[in-house]
Amino acid sequence: DQLLSSISLSLIIFLLIAIPLHFIYGVWKRADLSTEAKVMWMIFFVVAPVFSIIIYLAFGYKKQSNR
């Protein structure tokens, strides 16, 4: 029971770190954003990760095209 709780907590912590890093990487790779816009998105991801991801998905996300 304690092992399952520990694994669940580890998974939650991993996701809280991995998901914002994924979005930060995606913003950094975007060529259509200025450096200032990239920095602002990254600060927003660090300050309010859950809220910023929702906002980014609603307004800032552009799906990568397959080449």
Side-chain angles (χ1 to χ4, degrees):
D1 191 36
Q2 188 174 2
L3 178 63
L4 182 60
S5 174
S6 177
I7 291 172
S8 298
L9 181 61
S10 298
L11 180 62
I12 290 170
I13 291 171
F14 172 77
L15 291 175
L16 286 174
I17 294 169
I19 292 172
L21 285 177
H22 172 75
F23 282 97
I24 288 171
Y25 178 74
V27 166
W28 190 254
K29 288 191 63 158
R30 284 184 54 181
D32 63 323
L33 289 178
S34 67
T35 302
E36 293 83 9
K38 290 177 183 181
V39 170
M40 291 305 293
W41 272 115
M42 289 183 199
I43 291 171
F44 194 35
F45 286 139
V46 170
V47 171
V50 174
F51 182 67
S52 63
I53 289 170
I54 293 168
I55 297 298
Y56 183 72
L57 287 173
F59 300 107
Y61 179 73
K62 290 188 177 184
K63 188 172 182 175
Q64 299 284 333
S65 62
N66 292 336
R67 293 183 183 196

